[in-house]
Structures are given as structure tokens and as C-alpha cells.
Amino acid sequence: MDQPVFRSATRIDVAAIVRLLADDKLGQQREDYRDPLPEAYYEAFNRIDQDPNQELMVVELAKQVIGTLQLSFIPYLTYQGGIRAQIEAVRIHKDHRGAGLGKTMMQWAIERARAKGAHVLQLTTDKKRPDALLFYERLGFVASHEGMKFHLY
């Protein structure tokens, strides 16, 4: 069996990433996956790609993009000038869920955050995704804070 390959996303991967992001009830409400893909996605990719504190990753299996995640490294003054890693947009193609790939991706992200000197890796997950919450808890993530959002649009 092929082993998953973790690599930095390229512009060529943007459509596959957006397809993964749009492949659930919540993602269908937020994303606009169509052909051709709206230019806003490529503009966002360019901003991410040019920012040294952002890492947009894909996971390939048999040369097909089947997973994605984004790591953001946030420098700040607390924790004596620490670095906080934020993981977002973790997705596995529905045909590959339940095979341990999500766990492998998260373990990769944990090790990457450590390698970059982060003292914590944090994430948010929508309360409408109870399976995701359970998944993260099984990996050792703790719901230690109450998160809040203020939508600006």
C-alpha cells in the first residue's frame, strides 16, 4: 500500500483543497467549489504562500490529494515571547476517512509545531461537528477554553 506523502501545497493544488473544504454540510455553505474556481481562492493561496508564518499542507496518496490542513504560527509576548500554533481546515477525503489518516495528519502537525518551537497547538471545531470534537479529544486535545467569534460580514 502507498504511504501518505505530506508536502506544501502549490497553486495547482488549490482546486483539490477547496473541493475537500466544500465536501460537508458546513463547507457547502461557506465554499464556492466550481469550475473555474473563483479567483479569490488563488489570491488567498498567494497570501498564505508568501507568509512565512503559514504552512498550507496537502496529503497525497497514490499521487492524489486526499487531505489538507493549514498551520499558522503566531508569535506573541505571553509565555515569554512564545509561539502559538493554530491548526485549521483539517480535511480528509470521505473515501479515506476511518483508515487512520486523520490521526497521522494530526501527529505530523504536532511534530511540526514542536519543530517550529511552538509551546501549544490549538484548534477550533464547530459544535455542529461532534465526531470531529471526539476525534480531537482522543488525540489528547482538551477543551480548556470557551471560544467565541464575531463575524465581520
Side-chain angles (χ1 to χ4, degrees):
M1 183 176 154
D2 290 325
Q3 292 298 310
V5 174
F6 292 79
R7 65 172 176 78
S8 295
T10 66
R11 186 175 173 88
I12 294 169
D13 299 316
V14 172
I17 293 169
V18 174
R19 184 178 65 241
L20 289 169
L21 296 175
D23 191 28
D24 69 15
K25 273 185 172 181
L26 294 175
Q28 289 169 3
Q29 295 170 14
R30 295 189 290 233
E31 306 307 334
D32 186 10
Y33 178 68
R34 58 185 155 108
D35 189 18
L37 202 60
E39 188 61 29
Y41 287 108
Y42 294 103
E43 292 167 3
F45 172 80
N46 289 339
R47 288 191 305 275
I48 293 165
D49 195 46
Q50 293 169 11
D51 185 337
N53 288 315
Q54 303 296 321
E55 295 185 4
L56 181 59
M57 306 301 295
V58 293
V59 180
E60 283 187 343
L61 198 58
K63 301 194 187 241
Q64 297 291 314
V65 173
I66 54 101
T68 188
L69 62 83
Q70 182 173 342
L71 278 174
S72 299
F73 296 96
I74 308 163
Y76 57 105
L77 291 177
T78 60
Y79 286 86
Q80 302 171 34
I83 297 172
R84 181 178 300 258
Q86 173 87 19
I87 189 166
E88 295 282 344
V90 178
R91 300 290 193 283
I92 295 285
H93 189 280
K94 61 185 170 190
D95 293 344
H96 296 277
R97 291 180 194 147
L101 259 161
K103 182 177 180 180
T104 300
M105 282 176 55
M106 292 301 294
Q107 289 170 332
W108 180 92
I110 290 166
E111 291 309 311
R112 182 65 182 144
R114 280 191 180 120
K116 292 278 283 192
H119 71 87
V120 67
L121 175 61
Q122 64 187 23
L123 59 83
T124 60
T125 189
D126 197 295
K127 290 180 179 182
K128 295 174 187 162
R129 290 187 167 126
D131 291 343
L133 182 60
L134 184 59
F135 169 74
Y136 294 125
E137 287 174 343
R138 287 181 178 154
L139 290 172
F141 285 81
V142 177
S144 62
H145 293 68
E146 186 70 26
M148 300 173 79
K149 293 184 179 182
F150 184 89
H151 286 275
L152 300 172
Y153 51 88

